[in-house]
Amino acid sequence: AQSVTQPDIHITVSEGASLELRCNYSYGATPYLFWYVQSPGQGLQLLLKYFSGDTLVQGIKGFEAEFKRSQSSFNLRKPSVHWSDAAEYFCAVKLVRGSTLGRLYFGRGTQLTVWP
Amino acid sequence: EAQVTQNPRYLITVTGKKLTVTCSQNMNHEYMSWYRQDPGLGLRQIYYSMNVEVTDKGDVPEGYKVSRKEKRNFPLILESPSPNQTSLYFCASRETELSNQPQHFGDGTRLSIL
């Protein structure tokens, strides 16, 4: 079955520490890949996206993500976390072929807590 | 300013009382969709629409209806709401079904069904 997996439900890091949030997908072809962030009480904000080309993509707020085809992964990273990064993060994929081209499939989210 | 607008933002109501959550976008997008967000489950698609008068079910359509009479509007209708529909709802739009551009999301509607 097609799926998007975020294996970490909750991650806690200290401010200034590095961060990596994992995302794996299971689809036949490389989909379009996205990371969204949701701050408490807010909607979803796009952090970054990958369609093709350079497998390391830069996003807003100092985030980056690396697409690894061999591992079907699209992990989100940040070298130094700020307290304002505390939020919930969602990985999402959009298929590039098939009957449901328009749909976004979301992972279950990873809640990030940042200690001062 | 490009935006997706949902109303209401918050609603507390009772079981069985029909309600409609409106969604409007000002970007002339063809593709629109509705999601519900529940703790630990992420966002799940309820319905989507590829264009005017073209709608289809997502992953969790039971208990919901939609309509797409105009390009800009995509209301979500709960004919007989039940407590298991208490959730946070998001409307989203994209230029077209095939576009690789990300979806624009509304700010969300928090529904509580008592």
Side-chain angles (χ1 to χ4, degrees):
Chain A
Q2 300 164 341
S3 67
V4 181
T5 303
Q6 293 180 245
D8 304 305
I9 297 173
H10 196 170
I11 284 183
T12 300
V13 300
S14 298
E15 191 169 19
S18 63
L19 171 70
E20 183 171 35
L21 302 183
R22 296 181 289 166
C23 174
N24 293 90
Y25 63 91
S26 61
Y27 295 100
T30 300
Y32 298 143
L33 298 155
F34 307 88
W35 273 100
Y36 286 88
V37 60
Q38 184 181 31
S39 298
Q42 303 295 313
L44 284 89
Q45 180 181 25
L46 179 72
L47 284 176
L48 45 77
K49 60 191 178 188
Y50 173 79
F51 302 140
S52 63
D54 192 348
T55 56
L56 185 63
V57 294
Q58 303 297 319
I60 62 171
K61 303 186 179 187
F63 285 92
E64 65 179 27
E66 185 173 14
F67 167 61
K68 292 185 177 180
R69 186 188 309 274
S70 61
Q71 298 176 19
S72 297
S73 69
F74 188 55
N75 294 349
L76 182 71
R77 301 195 295 246
K78 187 168 184 177
S80 178
V81 171
H82 188 262
W83 64 265
S84 61
D85 293 324
E88 190 158 22
Y89 292 80
F90 293 96
C91 180
V93 308
K94 177 182 179 299
L95 302 184
V96 297
R97 62 170 185 247
S99 61
T100 60
L101 284 174
R103 295 179 58 179
L104 263 187
Y105 294 88
F106 284 85
R108 296 189 174 193
T110 298
Q111 183 70 45
L112 175 65
T113 297
V114 181
W115 284 352
Chain B
E1 180 189 352
Q3 59 184 4
V4 178
T5 304
Q6 297 178 225
N7 279 295
R9 292 292 313 279
Y10 305 91
L11 178 64
I12 301 174
T13 187
V14 297
T15 298
K17 185 176 181 182
K18 180 180 178 181
L19 67 91
T20 299
V21 185
T22 63
C23 174
S24 179
Q25 50 92 5
N26 63 359
M27 296 165 279
N28 202 37
H29 284 173
E30 291 183 358
Y31 186 90
M32 297 184 74
S33 59
W34 276 103
Y35 297 87
R36 60 178 289 174
Q37 182 182 9
D38 302 289
L41 297 178
L43 280 82
R44 295 176 292 168
Q45 193 177 50
I46 302 171
Y47 268 94
Y48 63 97
S49 169
M50 290 184 282
N51 214 326
V52 176
E53 301 293 0
V54 181
T55 64
D56 208 347
K57 297 177 180 178
D59 293 320
V60 288
E62 294 78 18
Y64 304 94
K65 285 175 55 178
V66 293
S67 69
R68 188 88 183 275
K69 294 184 172 55
E70 310 164 277
K71 201 171 190 178
R72 63 182 293 123
N73 296 324
F74 190 45
L76 179 70
I77 304 156
L78 285 71
E79 292 272 5
S80 182
S82 61
N84 65 11
Q85 292 177 298
T86 292
S87 187
L88 178 59
Y89 292 84
F90 287 100
C91 180
S93 74
R94 181 193 290 121
E95 188 176 18
T96 66
E97 180 193 19
L98 298 178
S99 170
N100 61 9
Q101 294 306 305
Q103 292 190 83
H104 294 253
F105 283 86
D107 288 336
T109 295
R110 187 167 291 281
L111 288 184
S112 294
I113 316 295
L114 304 178

